[in-house]
Amino acid sequence: MYLTLRLSPSLQYSVDGKTEFSLQGETIGECISAEKKNYAGLSELLFKANKLNPQILLFHNNTLIREDSFDTSISEKDVLDVVPAIEAG
């Protein structure tokens, strides 16, 4: 399965100007792990001390998630939005 990861434009500096990625995996966690290998900046953005960065919010199909949701299975056309907490209001 593929998941579309979309970064807020204010975060594109960390991944060479890209704001959208197609990630492959069966769960949210697998998709994020696969992309960390390709973009170290993404890993540094999402994680601090091996925990999800508290200044970053993740929305899976418009629903706020945390690390305990990383084992959620994905379906085609699923989207994971990455937004700085300050932008989310």
Side-chain angles (χ1 to χ4, degrees), residues 43-60:
S43 180
E44 292 172 9
L45 172 71
L46 294 178
F47 298 95
K48 298 290 181 198
N50 293 322
K51 298 246 184 222
L52 190 59
N53 183 346
Q55 296 175 334
I56 296 294
L57 300 177
L58 300 177
F59 293 89
H60 178 231

Side-chain angles (χ1 to χ4, degrees), residues 3-12 15 18-23 32 35 42 45-46 56-63 77-84 87:
L3 170 74
T4 300
L5 182 132
R6 296 186 304 203
L7 292 176
S8 171
S10 64
L11 301 175
Q12 68 186 22
V15 287
K18 290 184 79 172
T19 57
E20 190 168 304
F21 303 84
S22 183
L23 310 179
I32 291 172
E35 196 58 29
L42 184 61
L45 172 71
L46 294 178
I56 296 294
L57 300 177
L58 300 177
F59 293 89
H60 178 231
N61 297 332
N62 297 319
T63 300
K77 301 192 183 199
D78 276 10
V79 175
L80 185 67
D81 290 299
V82 179
V83 181
E87 285 184 23

